[in-house]
Amino acid sequence: MIGFDGRQLRVLLVEDNEHFRRLIRTVLQALGITRVTEATDGGAGLAALGGGAEVDLVIVDYRMQPMDGVEFTRRLRTDPASANPYVPVLMVTGYTEPRLVAEARDAGVNEFLAKPISAKTLLSRIVQLIQTPRPFVSTEGYFGPDRRRRAVPFPHVERRRSSLPEV
């Protein structure tokens, strides 16, 4: 985490629970991240982005009403009017069942962090998202960060397109 300076980082925090929103904001401030825009559900988060809120990272909860974090992420990634479909999304939630994690991943969430959180784990995920972003891919049924974590040989014709140049 050498070289991380959160002072310039702009975060959109989408969380319906006021107490947890305050907790995350406090942890972010302790990490030097003070440019935080808050929203109480996915619809309000999309409205904030559409209203001109410039952000470098979105931290979103899973379960919210009327629009949850999965639907927020899906719309962020696929809506033609989306303000920033490439912004990194960190989902922070107490719902960690494998099928729910897969649903979030398939909606385009970059990283997943289970509650309860610590400042150390939150910082670790933020640094990972900012310093080592995964390339975005576009397929017929998915647009978002590459869901693969390991480089495994693929025995078929590569049909995905990356948004990042080859290294």
Side-chain angles (χ1 to χ4, degrees), residues 5 11 20 22-23 26-27 30 33 54 56 61 74 88 91 96 98 107-108 111-113 121 127 137 146 149 151 158:
D5 181 2
V11 175
F20 198 71
R22 191 175 318 128
L23 172 69
T26 300
V27 171
I33 302 168
E54 293 184 22
D56 304 302
D61 186 26
R74 188 174 290 115
M91 182 166 281
T96 59
E111 291 293 333
F112 203 85
L113 183 59
T121 58
V127 168
V137 294
D146 191 340
R149 297 230 179 242
E158 183 67 64

Side-chain angles (χ1 to χ4, degrees), residues 1-78:
M1 293 180 228
I2 296 171
F4 177 77
D5 181 2
R7 292 177 292 181
Q8 298 304 312
L9 195 63
R10 300 166 298 185
V11 175
L12 172 61
L13 174 58
V14 185
E15 166 67 59
D16 61 340
N17 183 299
E18 180 183 348
H19 300 292
F20 198 71
R21 225 177 25 250
R22 191 175 318 128
L23 172 69
I24 291 180
R25 180 185 270 280
T26 300
V27 171
L28 291 172
Q29 289 173 341
L31 299 172
I33 302 168
T34 58
R35 299 169 69 184
V36 180
T37 302
E38 295 182 17
T40 57
D41 71 81
L46 290 174
L49 290 171
E54 293 184 22
V55 300
D56 304 302
L57 171 69
V58 174
I59 299 174
V60 65
D61 186 26
Y62 193 102
R63 299 281 170 142
M64 297 178 287
Q65 292 295 328
M67 183 189 296
D68 66 20
V70 170
E71 185 60 26
F72 164 84
T73 304
R74 188 174 290 115
R75 289 187 188 185
L76 173 71
R77 298 288 188 230
T78 62

